[in-house]
Amino acid sequence: MSTASSKPCEKCGQPIAAGKLMEGLCPACLIGGALQQSAMQVECPHCRQTNEITDETASRVSCRNCGESFRLDLAEAVQILDRPLKKWGRFELQRILGAGAFGTVWEALDPSLHRRVAIKIPRKGHFDKVEDEERFLREAQIAAQLRHPGIVPVYETSKFDGQPFIVSEFVEGITLARWLKEHRPDFRQTAAWMASIADILAHAHAQQVIHRDLKPSNILLENKPSGGGLHPRLMDFGMAKRDGSDPTLTLDGHMLGTPVYMSPEQIRSSHLVDARADIYSMGVVLYELLTGELPFQGVPHMVIHQILHDDARSPRELNDRIPIDLATIALKCLEKDPCNRYPSAAELGEDLRRWLAGDPILARPAGPLGKTVRWLRRNPLISLLAALLALAVAGGFTAVLWQWQRAETGLREAEAQRQKAEKNFREARDTVDAFYSKVEQRLRNVPGLQPLRRELLEKALHYHRNFIREKPTDPEMRRALAVSLRRTGDIMREMGNRREALPFYQQAQKILDDILKQNPKRVETRANVAQTQIQMGDLLEELGQPAKAIDCYRQAETILQDISKNGNNPRWLTALGGCHTATGLAQGEMGRQDEALVHFKQAIQLHEQVLAIQPQDPETQYLLGCAENNQGLTLWQMGRFAEAADSHQSAIRRFQSAGADETHAIESAIELAIAHYNLGSARLAQQRTTEAAAEFETARQLLVKQAATNPSLFRCREYLAKTLGQLGNMELAKQHPGKALGCYRESCRLREALANQLPTVPIWKDLALIQMNQGVAASVVNPVEAIPYYKKAETTLSMILKDYPSHFESIELLGLLNLNHSEALWQIGQKEESIRYLKKCIGQKTVLSLQKPNDRKLINDLEQMKQLLARRTGSPHSRK
Amino acid sequence: MGSFSTRDSNAPNPGTFPSTHWSAVLSAGSGDTPAAHNALGRICEKYWYPLYVYVRRRGYRHSEAQDLTQDFFAFLLQKESLRVAAPEKGRFRSFLLTSLSHFLSNEWDRQNAAKRGGGRVIPLSQLEDADARFQLEPAQSCSADRAFEKIWAMTLLENSLRRMEEDWKKHDKSRLFEALKPFLMAGAEPPSYEELASRLGMNVGAVKMAIFRLRRSFRDVLCQEIAQTVDDPTTVEEEIRHFIRILSSPENTPQTP
């Protein structure tokens, strides 16, 4: 069959197919033919008037001229027309002008007005929500109000077959994107076009319309019949997809379009942009026209990172013939901070025209100092400390030790040398320490910087190991050794070698104990002991030994309390607060909610004390938010929902405040979302569903945004899955099973991915839960559809229970699942199976009631189920 | 989740577009409902040969390629492979190619699929013939991906032509179909309508009308075939253009020394 003979096609030169069916046919011409002919003209046998036939299945037609009816096979076929006749509403679609992530643009004929139009039809499924679609149409209507010769006018917006579409003027010309494939404009042409575009934008901005998606494919170059070359015109005003999430990324972090032309603020928060976002995009287009390259290139995630953090190379580095002024104008548009760009499109246009007229422009290039300052402002800790660390590790350490040893063996006059050595050593060590305590934590959540973080961690580890190998005897150096041992433990832990980390902590502890014996009053040493205990506690907690962890925390607490009792040193107060939060978490882990609450309260009090000393300190705000979040969760577990809600509300304010500081932005954003989720859960428990829904929605939007920019953040995706689950529950409660199912499905997809990545019991249990919920939602519409979901949930749960046969929550869930399963089976008439599942459920609830004999609800449920069973099997069971 | 998927595919479509199999599979979400399974099975049966060619072009011998293609379909139908969220899901063709290339590069999956066995999708006799067919394919300088796309387009054309042939046969018009088939090609016209008309025993107007009808129905059938493999009917034309590019790209011309 699909084979080719050696003879090429006469028309197109492609090989001609062989085989029975395709014998002698050229596949390329065959498929090309499918795009062409669709109409035919016939001559009426009565009046000789030509009629166009579009319905080839009709056997008789009536002449449009004389009205006589005639048989088609007897009519004189005049001509087969090469014209497709695909209809879209009243429009005849004629050819595709372009297709992209958004959808398709067609050239079409509007037969009612006899004019050519362009129709933009979004891809089916482009809009996640009805509101998005409505906004799309609304914005197109607003854009339709714009009247400017440089703006391609929108004629109408409408819907066909449930899909919205936009009809605009058909412009004879090509997009700048297409033009650029074969041409390069000269500098004057570039400036002239950009000045025209700036004027068009200025007009739109004056009407409060922001383009949001300015790029070469949205700039049409019109070839006006009057001549005068190509004139740029803009299309697609305000049509960029826009919701809480990143406009270019899907949940998985897949790119839908290109972020290249997008401003940093648009990437961060697409709904909070103003006209200056368009100026940024102008800068990218100008840069591209000048250099033939884009300011930032690479895979979308890399581009996003660069847009947010890097300065574009000067256009003149790529081509030194580019006029300095035009390069300066482009770079001014590309400033990260909107305040440093042109304040308006009009001013940008004026500067471009100044250049065209040979006048000096107003924009000033940023010097090297300005650039460094800008970079440092964006990455203050990272840049400074990473540089220092590299220095300290590379040269400092060896030199320091050498100086040290010389000082040791030297004479009294070497005292000065010794002091110098000590100072140098301390500097090196402080740098490494500062790196660990500050930079490393910042880096942890920064997308794209993980390799750098790992590299720095390894360097720090190398430093500490070298030091440990020296086995110093001097007390001061022994203390430093203990710190190094502890840091080594920290880094081991951070790199996932938890069990190997423990001996390092223990060695550190032993050395510190020795030093402490010699000088029990020294604050630094005691603080070190406390710190080591806290780290060891964290490690034990991670290793699933909360009781041992609490012992460590308690020792640390005692020491820190003692140190901080005479004064208000924020450092000790913060450490003590952290210690209480950790204790609270471990207590909660062991089911002691009352104890946990006491510790969270103390932590909050301590952090508030620090905040009184250092108002607005983002770190403290963040720690306070964490403590309050934990407190809220504990209150929720205890059924004190109103207090829980208060606590989460306060946490939300803390994270908002902490997130305003760039160094805490990412971690605060995720914790903020989680606080909203927690608040939603509390509101739900209070039965304030509207408020709950609003909180979940906020959490969802925040998380989608975070998950999009940094899909590797596990915690973020975990909470996104939870939030979607809750949103599904709320839709189900509102009797919207379809919407509920949508939420559940998305949540399920995320949970499956999470379960693959980290197969832990809670995550698997959550997966089973969402699988079951899908069944519940499906059963509202049709119980038959629910069964596969229930089966799936059953499989997931049985996998957990195989390894953890007494996992309480899984048994609890299995009971519920079996009940639901039984109900669905009953509804579809599979009575025997239904009763079998009901019996299973009763069995599971009985097991649970033995474990929790005081759980009234459980006992009640059990009793009701037994009654149900009795009713359904018809056997007598006394009603109480 | 059939109750929702049927709701989708029953939604009124613009007249020219049929409900699509692939979108039925996709909207079922997990591919493990019987309806989705059947829909997937049906389109797999139609398009197994391009996949076989791809496997061969990746350097496997006939017997290996036979097994791998079969295993791949078993994998596709059994494993919840449709859950893998990917933008290429919109087009069945791209989805298959991506899945197959992952499948081939993933020893684990392959062994697993082999172990699962059973569930043969492609009739064995057809697979036996595959080698003979493959031998007849022109030597190509293009990549395996490109070869896949090309054979896919050819398969698509063949499936469409076969449907039409059967249809015209039903109406006792096999001879007419054979005679007019060449005019399906873009811009093809008989050297003389009169000569053709007299050969077929028809008048010129009727021949023109028949060619017109043949072209219209070919276009419809082709669109329907494509629509079965995309999730969005508005992308059908885009697909046709894609295939035109694929079939007219210079890499497809046989290498002449």
Side-chain angles (χ1 to χ4, degrees):
Chain A
M1 59 184 240
S2 39
T3 50
S5 67
S6 53
K7 204 178 83 184
C9 170
E10 280 173 17
K11 270 213 158 62
C12 68
Q14 293 298 315
I16 287 198
K20 182 183 162 285
L21 209 56
M22 301 270 282
E23 175 80 67
L25 299 179
C26 163
C29 289
L30 193 56
I31 200 156
L35 272 189
Q36 286 187 354
Q37 308 83 3
S38 310
M40 124 161 254
Q41 288 179 338
V42 295
E43 209 174 76
C44 168
H46 307 284
C47 69
R48 298 281 150 204
Q49 183 67 36
T50 305
N51 281 265
E52 194 169 303
I53 309 294
T54 53
D55 178 8
E56 84 281 7
T57 54
S59 54
R60 291 188 79 85
V61 287
S62 296
C63 175
R64 270 182 214 138
N65 186 42
C66 65
E68 289 284 337
S69 144
F70 59 92
R71 266 177 65 185
L72 262 186
D73 54 349
L74 296 180
E76 183 67 18
V78 179
Q79 196 189 354
I80 300 171
L81 295 175
D82 287 356
R83 155 138 65 84
L85 274 175
K86 196 153 142 192
K87 289 281 222 175
W88 187 266
R90 70 168 197 275
F91 300 95
E92 289 170 8
L93 302 185
Q94 296 185 318
R95 69 186 168 108
I96 290 184
L97 296 170
F102 174 87
T104 325
V105 185
W106 292 78
E107 179 190 337
L109 186 73
D110 182 349
S112 60
L113 294 165
H114 295 288
R115 69 178 173 190
R116 282 206 287 172
V117 294
I119 299 189
K120 185 160 193 154
I121 308 172
R123 208 176 272 280
K124 218 176 179 181
H126 178 74
F127 300 108
D128 305 329
K129 290 180 293 201
V130 183
E131 301 93 89
D132 290 347
E133 189 180 301
E134 282 166 0
R135 191 170 48 212
F136 164 77
L137 287 175
R138 205 166 51 237
E139 284 178 1
Q141 278 151 11
I142 295 170
Q145 314 288 315
L146 295 173
R147 293 274 174 272
H148 188 280
I151 296 172
V152 179
V154 171
Y155 290 149
E156 65 175 273
T157 60
S158 183
K159 270 185 163 185
F160 175 64
D161 190 33
Q163 267 179 279
F165 66 95
I166 292 173
V167 185
S168 54
E169 183 195 338
F170 175 81
V171 177
E172 197 72 67
I174 60 169
T175 65
L176 178 59
R178 278 275 295 282
W179 189 85
L180 280 175
K181 286 195 170 144
E182 283 160 30
H183 306 82
R184 279 283 294 280
D186 60 32
F187 300 132
R188 287 200 73 77
Q189 176 79 86
T190 298
W193 280 351
M194 293 308 288
S196 302
I197 296 168
D199 291 347
I200 302 168
L201 281 176
H203 171 83
H205 292 167
Q207 319 290 313
Q208 314 300 322
V209 179
I210 304 165
H211 192 293
R212 289 169 184 277
D213 195 19
L214 189 76
K215 54 188 177 189
S217 57
N218 279 335
I219 300 171
L220 264 178
L221 296 176
E222 186 181 21
N223 206 348
K224 282 193 180 158
S226 52
L230 298 166
H231 301 269
R233 293 179 73 181
L234 295 188
M235 46 186 193
D236 291 351
F237 266 89
M239 282 187 207
K241 195 175 174 181
R242 177 154 53 122
D243 47 28
S245 66
D246 190 305
T248 58
L249 295 161
T250 65
L251 268 184
D252 312 323
H254 284 117
M255 302 300 299
L256 284 176
T258 167
V260 173
Y261 299 92
M262 213 175 269
S263 61
E265 67 268 24
Q266 205 169 352
I267 285 175
R268 286 207 189 90
S269 173
S270 52
H271 54 283
L272 286 179
V273 302
D274 57 23
R276 291 171 300 181
D278 283 348
I279 307 239
Y280 180 92
S281 307
M282 286 275 290
V284 183
V285 178
L286 175 56
Y287 192 102
E288 189 179 1
L289 292 179
L290 290 174
T291 63
E293 284 186 35
L294 289 162
F296 303 115
Q297 298 176 17
V299 295
H301 277 112
M302 246 165 80
V303 170
I304 285 182
H305 186 261
Q306 294 175 64
I307 292 175
L308 291 176
H309 302 286
D310 297 347
D311 284 322
R313 288 167 72 189
S314 164
R316 284 169 52 85
E317 280 178 40
L318 298 164
N319 176 0
D320 57 11
R321 289 175 46 238
I322 294 170
I324 293 177
D325 284 351
L326 285 184
T328 303
I329 291 173
L331 289 175
K332 188 172 173 70
C333 296
L334 290 172
E335 284 281 352
K336 307 278 179 216
D337 184 347
C339 300
N340 293 334
R341 293 176 208 148
Y342 286 95
S344 69
E347 277 159 87
L348 166 59
E350 281 162 22
D351 237 6
L352 285 162
R353 258 183 280 276
R354 270 186 210 106
W355 182 81
L356 282 166
D359 294 335
I361 61 161
L362 295 186
R364 292 272 69 88
L369 185 62
K371 281 182 196 161
T372 316
V373 167
R374 280 208 306 271
W375 195 81
L376 286 178
R377 204 180 295 142
R378 284 199 301 281
N379 312 285
L381 275 170
I382 295 168
S383 55
L384 213 66
L385 288 171
L388 282 176
L389 177 74
L391 267 179
V393 173
F397 184 75
T398 337
V400 164
L401 268 188
W402 178 76
Q403 284 174 332
W404 185 274
Q405 277 155 2
R406 259 184 45 166
E408 287 283 286
T409 53
L411 303 169
R412 285 173 68 98
E413 56 265 34
E415 178 60 21
Q417 181 72 7
R418 198 187 77 87
Q419 274 177 4
K420 192 177 163 206
E422 197 173 334
K423 182 170 161 284
N424 282 354
F425 167 76
R426 211 170 278 133
E427 273 171 8
R429 186 203 55 203
D430 288 352
T431 312
V432 179
D433 261 19
F435 156 71
Y436 190 79
S437 58
K438 297 224 168 59
V439 185
E440 190 276 333
Q441 282 165 27
R442 300 281 167 278
L443 286 179
R444 187 175 306 176
N445 287 332
V446 182
L449 290 185
Q450 294 314 303
L452 171 66
R453 171 173 166 260
R454 211 175 160 84
E455 190 186 320
L456 291 181
L457 274 177
E458 270 161 10
K459 275 189 180 159
L461 188 62
H462 181 70
Y463 162 87
H464 289 303
R465 282 196 162 143
N466 271 345
F467 186 66
I468 293 165
R469 217 174 286 137
E470 295 299 323
K471 296 194 181 66
T473 48
D474 175 273
E476 178 62 15
M477 295 301 277
R478 296 278 295 166
R479 204 173 61 78
L481 174 63
V483 172
S484 273
L485 283 164
R486 192 181 83 218
R487 290 290 188 226
T488 309
D490 293 346
I491 297 171
M492 293 282 216
R493 200 173 116 213
E494 194 50 52
M495 292 174 131
N497 308 323
R498 286 181 186 156
R499 298 209 174 271
E500 290 169 45
L502 197 58
F504 284 98
Y505 287 140
Q506 285 162 341
Q507 280 182 53
Q509 193 62 46
K510 202 169 156 292
I511 293 171
L512 288 170
D513 284 346
D514 286 349
I515 303 171
L516 211 54
K517 267 183 215 144
Q518 292 163 18
N519 189 355
K521 287 269 175 276
R522 196 158 165 181
V523 173
E524 272 307 314
T525 319
R526 297 170 68 203
N528 258 314
V529 174
Q531 192 60 41
T532 310
Q533 289 290 356
I534 290 177
Q535 304 289 70
M536 197 148 48
D538 288 353
L539 176 64
L540 288 163
E541 170 87 26
E542 282 167 15
L543 290 169
Q545 303 175 15
K548 281 188 184 168
I550 290 173
D551 284 344
C552 292
Y553 295 143
R554 196 167 291 143
Q555 291 190 35
E557 192 189 317
T558 315
I559 297 167
L560 287 168
Q561 252 166 3
D562 196 49
I563 298 176
S564 60
K565 73 177 178 227
N566 303 322
N568 268 351
N569 186 337
R571 187 177 156 202
W572 311 133
L573 294 175
T574 302
L576 192 54
C579 186
H580 277 297
T581 300
T583 315
L585 285 170
Q587 294 283 14
E589 190 87 352
M590 296 178 69
R592 300 189 199 139
Q593 268 94 28
D594 293 324
E595 292 275 331
L597 206 55
V598 173
H599 284 285
F600 291 138
K601 280 201 192 314
Q602 279 176 328
I604 291 169
Q605 210 186 348
L606 286 158
H607 290 311
E608 274 173 347
Q609 227 174 311
V610 178
L611 212 55
I613 307 166
Q614 305 171 327
Q616 302 302 321
D617 176 47
E619 177 78 18
T620 310
Q621 297 269 21
Y622 175 78
L623 292 172
L624 248 175
C626 292
E628 284 170 342
N629 229 352
N630 290 325
Q631 173 182 263
L633 275 176
T634 311
L635 287 164
W636 183 85
Q637 286 169 344
M638 296 164 85
R640 292 157 65 176
F641 304 125
E643 290 166 80
D646 289 345
S647 201
H648 291 309
Q649 268 177 331
S650 180
I652 287 171
R653 285 192 295 272
R654 305 287 185 202
F655 290 128
Q656 279 167 341
S657 163
D661 186 277
E662 208 163 343
T663 54
H664 288 70
I666 294 176
E667 64 229 45
S668 298
I670 293 169
E671 296 305 323
L672 174 64
I674 294 173
H676 277 291
Y677 171 85
N678 288 339
L679 180 55
S681 306
R683 291 291 181 226
L684 200 57
Q686 289 179 291
Q687 300 186 335
R688 289 160 67 169
T689 43
T690 320
E691 289 158 81
E695 295 302 328
F696 289 135
E697 185 51 35
T698 311
R700 188 191 68 84
Q701 288 181 7
L702 289 167
L703 288 165
V704 164
K705 195 168 148 55
Q706 287 305 318
T709 39
N710 195 3
S712 63
L713 284 186
F714 191 89
R715 189 166 158 78
C716 181
R717 285 184 297 144
E718 187 188 353
Y719 270 88
L720 185 53
K722 279 180 196 273
T723 307
L724 285 163
Q726 288 284 24
L727 284 169
N729 295 346
M730 313 221 54
E731 292 293 351
L732 196 58
K734 285 191 278 179
Q735 304 289 317
H736 297 151
K739 284 189 187 169
L741 209 48
C743 293
Y744 289 148
R745 197 183 296 151
E746 194 56 37
S747 174
C748 189
R749 214 171 53 78
L750 280 165
R751 283 190 176 156
E752 278 167 344
L754 292 170
N756 278 333
Q757 196 184 336
L758 188 73
T760 63
V761 175
I763 288 170
W764 279 86
K765 196 212 77 202
D766 278 355
L767 175 62
L769 175 70
I770 208 78
Q771 286 167 333
M772 180 188 81
N773 282 351
Q774 289 184 84
V776 174
S779 73
V780 176
V781 183
N782 181 357
V784 178
E785 305 299 335
I787 308 292
Y789 290 114
Y790 291 149
K791 287 236 154 75
K792 231 181 260 178
E794 197 179 344
T795 313
T796 310
L797 281 175
S798 66
M799 280 169 74
I800 302 176
L801 291 170
K802 203 176 94 194
D803 292 340
Y804 303 89
S806 55
H807 187 246
F808 186 85
E809 288 170 53
S810 295
I811 302 175
E812 208 176 9
L813 185 59
L814 187 58
L816 189 58
L817 171 68
N818 285 332
L819 186 64
N820 283 326
H821 203 153
S822 159
E823 203 49 42
L825 288 165
W826 186 265
Q827 284 175 24
I828 59 172
Q830 296 191 18
K831 299 199 171 170
E832 246 172 66
E833 270 294 280
S834 167
I835 284 168
R836 195 169 69 81
Y837 273 99
L838 188 56
K839 281 181 179 164
K840 272 192 190 180
C841 173
I842 291 174
Q844 277 129 12
K845 293 266 174 188
T846 311
V847 172
L848 292 177
S849 69
L850 293 177
Q851 283 185 36
K852 286 196 173 178
N854 297 325
D855 192 331
R856 287 307 309 162
K857 191 176 169 297
L858 192 62
I859 310 284
N860 278 343
D861 285 355
L862 189 56
E863 187 52 36
Q864 284 187 1
M865 271 178 242
K866 283 181 182 166
Q867 287 174 12
L868 182 68
L869 180 66
R871 277 201 303 282
R872 292 199 164 161
T873 51
S875 67
H877 184 278
S878 60
R879 257 170 201 260
K880 285 181 191 166
Chain B
M1 235 281 302
S3 60
F4 290 88
S5 71
T6 46
R7 194 182 297 163
D8 273 347
S9 50
N10 283 345
N13 278 308
T16 46
F17 298 119
S19 69
T20 70
H21 295 173
W22 180 232
S23 67
V25 176
L26 281 184
S27 58
S30 62
D32 56 358
T33 65
H37 193 277
N38 286 343
L40 184 60
R42 270 200 307 279
I43 32 184
C44 284
E45 272 174 49
K46 280 188 182 173
Y47 293 102
W48 66 269
Y49 183 64
L51 293 165
Y52 168 85
V53 171
Y54 178 80
V55 177
R56 288 297 298 269
R57 294 295 304 262
R58 288 277 300 261
Y60 293 93
R61 286 192 306 273
H62 169 60
S63 58
E64 294 168 330
Q66 219 177 346
D67 284 350
L68 283 169
T69 313
Q70 195 72 266
D71 285 348
F72 173 66
F73 278 114
F75 155 81
L76 208 58
L77 290 172
Q78 286 187 12
K79 198 183 166 188
E80 292 163 358
S81 47
L82 295 172
R83 286 176 175 276
V84 186
E88 63 267 20
K89 260 173 120 178
R91 287 184 171 76
F92 183 57
R93 167 172 57 79
S94 318
F95 166 78
L96 275 186
L97 185 58
T98 313
S99 307
L100 177 61
S101 107
H102 287 166
F103 179 79
L104 290 182
S105 57
N106 192 330
E107 196 63 34
W108 184 88
D109 269 348
R110 195 187 312 167
Q111 281 171 354
N112 244 1
K115 256 183 250 153
R116 272 195 297 272
R120 287 191 172 270
V121 181
I122 314 156
L124 209 57
S125 58
Q126 286 191 23
L127 257 185
E128 289 299 327
D129 297 342
D131 184 45
R133 265 169 79 177
F134 182 76
Q135 297 304 333
L136 289 172
E137 299 293 350
Q140 285 164 342
S141 58
C142 60
S143 66
D145 286 32
R146 200 86 181 170
F148 167 83
E149 298 260 17
K150 195 203 141 196
I151 303 292
W152 181 280
M154 299 285 276
T155 309
L156 179 74
L157 286 171
E158 280 171 352
N159 286 340
S160 307
L161 281 178
R162 185 169 302 113
R163 259 180 69 180
M164 289 186 64
E165 188 183 37
E166 282 161 11
D167 199 43
W168 284 58
K169 199 172 171 183
K170 260 189 233 151
H171 296 87
D172 281 333
K173 289 181 174 168
S174 295
R175 203 178 130 243
L176 188 61
F177 178 74
E178 279 305 313
L180 300 185
K181 203 164 67 174
F183 308 115
L184 283 175
M185 292 191 287
E189 290 217 39
S192 152
Y193 274 105
E194 286 73 16
E195 194 266 330
L196 180 65
S198 74
R199 192 151 55 85
L200 291 168
M202 297 160 79
N203 69 37
V204 171
V207 169
K208 280 189 180 170
M209 187 61 69
I211 291 176
F212 165 57
R213 283 182 177 160
L214 182 76
R215 288 174 176 178
R216 278 296 296 264
S217 76
F218 177 64
R219 182 188 156 86
D220 287 351
V221 168
L222 188 76
C223 287
Q224 281 171 20
E225 284 289 323
I226 294 175
Q228 286 171 9
T229 67
V230 292
D231 68 336
D232 179 359
T234 59
T235 57
V236 167
E237 191 141 338
E238 219 177 286
E239 279 285 276
I240 296 182
R241 286 179 198 283
H242 172 77
F243 292 133
I244 293 176
R245 274 195 301 278
I246 289 292
L247 290 172
S248 345
S249 61
E251 297 106 298
N252 285 316
T253 43
Q255 292 280 294
T256 42

